[in-house]
Amino acid sequence: RGGKSIELRKCKIDKLEIKDNLTGLYNKAYILNHLREEIKRAMMFQRPCSFVIVNIDNFDGLKASLGVERTDLVLKKIASLIRDSVREIDRVGRFEYNSFAVVLPEKNKREMQKLSEEIKNSIETNFISSLDNSKLLTVSVGTSENPLDGVTADELVAQAQKLLQQV
């Protein structure tokens, strides 16, 4: 009986957590919740709200060659680079093990795409080999904007993920 009670409490605590333990960014649940709130606000005031997913290409190969500890350092570095690229009102989160998400209130498609390219370039130039100038790590970016690409968080996420598949 006591074991069930402890498990139930741990489950409730996990639901309350909003930060990813490794990167210190928001977690997926928080990002999705925040995106829903920003979409409501955007629709109420007829303003744009954009969503970006940054996915590390060939992540399994990277992890196999670097090992878990060095891969964790790479994830922390990428988290820092993305966080440093956005405004204070934007929210950055770890979306999946090898991807990050950014909620961009008040950014239209053109502004979001410009920022997405800056984030992509910032990450990739940070992981260039000093020996032969080759990229050691690449990322793909999927973007979407409310209301053009969808009116719900699920629709915006699906559109951004669809664009990731096309890259």
Side-chain angles (χ1 to χ4, degrees), residues 34-51:
H34 187 71
L35 181 59
R36 287 183 195 102
E37 292 300 315
E38 287 300 337
I39 288 171
K40 284 180 197 172
R41 184 176 292 112
M43 291 178 74
M44 185 182 303
F45 295 107
Q46 297 181 352
R47 303 291 305 150
C49 175
S50 297
F51 179 74

Side-chain angles (χ1 to χ4, degrees), residues 11-143:
C11 185
K12 286 180 180 178
I13 290 170
D14 287 346
K15 286 182 180 178
L16 293 175
E17 285 186 16
I18 62 170
K19 296 281 183 145
D20 173 63
N21 289 331
L22 177 68
T23 63
L25 298 177
Y26 290 106
N27 62 26
K28 184 177 182 176
Y30 176 87
I31 288 294
L32 290 173
N33 227 12
H34 187 71
L35 181 59
R36 287 183 195 102
E37 292 300 315
E38 287 300 337
I39 288 171
K40 284 180 197 172
R41 184 176 292 112
M43 291 178 74
M44 185 182 303
F45 295 107
Q46 297 181 352
R47 303 291 305 150
C49 175
S50 297
F51 179 74
V52 176
I53 294 178
V54 179
N55 191 62
I56 302 170
D57 299 331
N58 190 24
F59 187 72
D60 291 334
L62 181 76
K63 190 170 149 189
S65 67
L66 294 180
V68 175
E69 285 181 25
R70 289 182 60 207
T71 301
D72 285 352
L73 293 175
V74 167
L75 290 168
K76 287 179 184 180
K77 180 64 177 174
I78 291 172
S80 175
L81 291 168
I82 296 172
R83 192 178 320 127
D84 292 347
S85 299
V86 300
R87 306 166 298 175
E88 197 174 310
I89 65 167
D90 302 329
R91 293 293 176 261
V92 181
R94 182 144 176 228
F95 206 64
E96 300 291 343
Y97 190 68
N98 64 327
S99 67
F100 301 86
V102 188
V103 177
L104 301 163
E106 299 286 323
K107 283 236 189 257
N108 63 34
K109 200 166 204 82
R110 184 180 41 78
E111 295 167 323
M112 168 204 37
Q113 288 173 334
K114 183 178 185 278
L115 177 65
S116 296
E117 276 304 308
E118 289 171 7
I119 289 171
K120 179 178 172 58
N121 291 335
S122 171
I123 293 168
E124 290 180 354
T125 55
N126 244 275
F127 292 95
I128 288 183
S129 168
S130 57
L131 296 174
D132 61 0
N133 239 13
S134 64
K135 290 181 182 172
L136 302 174
L137 180 143
T138 60
V139 295
S140 299
V141 180
T143 60

